[in-house]
């Protein structure tokens, strides 16, 4: 347990506030031990001081009667991490201007529960992007994707649309087991050649089966 010695800054009858510069020598859960001129006293954090003090910091303290607060961190050793912390909700606003958040190496954003992004226009630019989700839901009035290469890997893919259109120069598809199509009407057209091959080919029609060509070869 830390031993706290209070610094008398004024007569008890008339406690006048006094500011002084000291060094943080120890820290607890909600108090920091500050040393000045060989005397040590416990300080709380002022609400306006967001930077959390650490041992070795030079701080500006305010003493009034038997209470002391750290107003600001004046100096810190190079290489020490900086921790900005507040109690309760925090709101950052740039009224009439732009708010920027940048990091020379990495930027990490972590939310214990929910994170929401709301903007008129959202842009993401990255050389590589990884997204790992247990469940994802996209709702968009219109979506356009442009890519050089796209790979989809999954156990199950379900697509439900009113209209599906695809245009490509070459389309290749490989199905190992069953390829099944249920449609009200199927229309396959080929400009030059249509080739159907299989170990067994069965063609059935409930009412009419028709083959029309200038030449028909069977066998």
């Amino acid at each position: 347990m830390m031993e706290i010695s209070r610094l008398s800054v004024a007569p008890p009858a008339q406690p006048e506030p006094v500011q002084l510069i000291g060094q943080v020598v120890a820290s607890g859960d909600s108090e920091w031990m500050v040393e000045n001129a060989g005397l040590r006293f416990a300080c709380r954090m002022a609400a306006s001081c967001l930077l959390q003090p650490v041992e070795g910091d030079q701080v500006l303290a305010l003493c009034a009667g038997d209470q002391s607060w750290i107003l600001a961190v004046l100096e810190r050793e190079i290489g020490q991490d900086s921790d900005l912390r507040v109690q309760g909700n925090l709101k950052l606003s740039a009224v009439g201007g732009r708010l920027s958040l940048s990091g020379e190496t990495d930027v990490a954003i972590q939310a214990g529960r929910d994170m929401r992004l709301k903007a008129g226009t959202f842009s993401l630019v990255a050389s590589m992007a990884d997204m790992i989700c247990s469940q994802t839901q996209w709702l968009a009035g219109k979506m356009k994707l442009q890519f050089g290469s796209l790979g989809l890997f999954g156990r199950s893919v379900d697509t439900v649309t009113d209209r599906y259109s695809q245009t490509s120069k070459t389309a290749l598809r490989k199905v190992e087991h069953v390829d099944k199509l249920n449609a009200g009407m199927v229309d396959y057209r080929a400009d030059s050649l249509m080739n159907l091959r299989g170990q067994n080919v069965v063609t059935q029609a409930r009412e009419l089966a028709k083959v029309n060509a200038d030449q028909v070869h069977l066998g």
Side-chain angles (χ1 to χ4, degrees), residues 7-10 15-23 34-37 41 43 46 48 58-65 67-74:
L7 175 63
S8 299
V9 296
E16 295 293 334
V18 174
Q19 292 188 9
L20 50 87
I21 296 177
Q23 184 178 23
V34 178
E35 183 178 283
N36 173 270
F41 53 98
C43 290
S48 60
Q58 294 290 329
V59 298
L60 176 64
L62 173 67
C63 301
Q67 299 188 74
S68 301
W69 297 271
I70 295 178
L71 302 180
V73 177
L74 303 179

Side-chain angles (χ1 to χ4, degrees), residues 20-195:
L20 50 87
I21 296 177
Q23 184 178 23
V24 178
V25 294
S27 61
D29 294 336
S30 59
E31 288 188 338
W32 287 261
M33 189 68 66
V34 178
E35 183 178 283
N36 173 270
L39 298 177
R40 295 186 176 185
F41 53 98
C43 290
R44 292 180 295 162
M45 285 282 295
S48 60
C49 184
L50 304 182
L51 181 60
Q52 295 292 302
V54 296
E55 295 184 19
D57 285 354
Q58 294 290 329
V59 298
L60 176 64
L62 173 67
C63 301
D66 59 349
Q67 299 188 74
S68 301
W69 297 271
I70 295 178
L71 302 180
V73 177
L74 303 179
E75 289 187 358
R76 172 172 294 179
E77 293 183 4
I78 299 176
Q80 287 276 8
D81 293 338
S82 297
D83 183 9
L84 300 179
R85 188 181 306 176
V86 297
Q87 296 293 333
N89 297 330
L90 174 64
K91 181 179 180 180
L92 298 178
S93 299
V95 180
R98 177 183 298 175
L99 178 64
S100 299
L101 178 65
S102 63
E104 188 174 351
T105 56
D106 301 330
V107 175
I109 299 177
Q110 181 177 353
R113 192 171 59 183
D114 299 329
M115 184 174 67
R116 297 178 178 87
L117 297 177
K118 183 179 180 180
T121 302
F122 175 75
S123 300
L124 174 64
V125 180
S127 58
M128 183 176 66
D130 294 331
M131 185 175 66
I132 302 175
C133 302
S134 59
Q135 184 176 355
T136 304
Q137 182 177 359
W138 293 82
L139 298 176
K142 184 178 181 180
M143 179 179 292
K144 182 179 181 180
L145 299 178
Q146 293 181 342
F147 50 85
S149 178
L150 175 65
L152 296 177
F153 305 92
R155 290 181 177 271
S156 177
V157 178
D158 297 327
T159 303
V160 179
T161 61
D162 290 335
R163 182 178 181 273
Y164 177 75
S165 177
Q166 180 182 6
T167 302
S168 63
K169 292 183 178 180
T170 302
L172 303 175
R173 186 177 64 177
K174 181 180 179 181
V175 180
E176 292 185 359
H177 296 291
V178 179
D179 188 5
K180 184 177 180 181
L181 172 64
N182 292 329
M185 184 180 68
V186 178
D187 186 3
Y188 286 147
R189 300 184 183 184
D191 292 337
S192 59
L193 175 65
M194 178 179 292
N195 190 357

